[in-house]
Amino acid sequence: MRKFTTILITIFFLSAQASAIAEPPVPTDFNERFAFPGECYGRSDIPHLSMHVPGTVNVLTRTYCPKTGVSINSRLVRIYQGIEVEKTASKNGVGLVTLSISMKCIWKKGNPEIEYRIYSRHRLSNGRSGETSRNAFLKC
């Protein structure tokens, strides 16, 4: 009986973890990944609908370089009927910095999809920097 209870508890925790983890779509091409010398890189994922907060668009950006200071400055832009609305965010750290930026999705049924663009500047503490950008047309 004790073994059965342990198995049930383990299954419960594993299933709870699986539903709580929601990774953004992983791009199949790495054209928007900026490689620094060595194993360092900067990357922006494709704007996507949030799985945690309905009605929002999220983008995840990251800069990685082991044991080095890194930073990200990102700008998420929504383009609808010729009007651009933007939101900016930045973050600093050592080794790996991950930045999530989100914006309300304003799409209504019957309207065309709305374009969302992410522009990110990835910097290392040695002064090297690079940019990534992605875009997606979405409806909520």
Side-chain angles (χ1 to χ4, degrees):
M1 182 67 176
R2 189 174 187 186
K3 193 177 203 181
F4 179 71
T5 305
T6 304
I7 291 171
L8 283 177
I9 291 171
T10 303
I11 290 171
F12 173 76
F13 281 115
L14 290 176
S15 66
Q17 284 181 339
S19 64
I21 298 171
E23 286 292 318
V26 177
T28 55
D29 63 330
F30 288 94
N31 293 336
E32 296 304 327
R33 179 175 163 156
F34 182 84
F36 294 102
E39 57 183 305
C40 305
Y41 68 89
R43 176 174 157 190
S44 294
D45 289 335
I46 299 169
H48 60 280
L49 298 177
S50 173
M51 292 196 245
H52 297 290
V53 183
T56 61
V57 174
N58 289 351
V59 181
L60 188 69
T61 62
R62 59 184 69 78
T63 304
Y64 172 75
C65 196
K67 301 178 185 177
T68 303
V70 295
S71 68
I72 303 171
N73 294 321
S74 293
R75 180 170 56 108
L76 179 59
V77 179
R78 177 177 58 219
I79 303 166
Y80 181 65
Q81 296 181 343
I83 298 171
E84 292 187 14
V85 176
E86 69 178 52
K87 185 173 181 181
T88 60
S90 60
K91 195 171 180 182
N92 302 312
V94 175
L96 173 65
V97 172
T98 303
L99 175 67
S100 181
I101 186 169
S102 64
M103 178 181 282
K104 184 177 178 181
C105 186
I106 62 168
W107 179 84
K108 302 282 187 220
K109 189 174 181 177
N111 290 343
E113 294 177 326
I114 298 173
E115 183 177 12
Y116 291 85
R117 293 181 187 168
I118 183 73
Y119 301 97
S120 298
R121 176 168 285 284
H122 310 268
R123 290 192 170 113
L124 304 181
S125 58
N126 65 9
R128 293 184 185 240
S129 68
E131 295 181 2
T132 56
S133 65
R134 303 298 298 257
N135 73 315
F137 290 86
L138 302 171
K139 54 185 175 181
C140 305

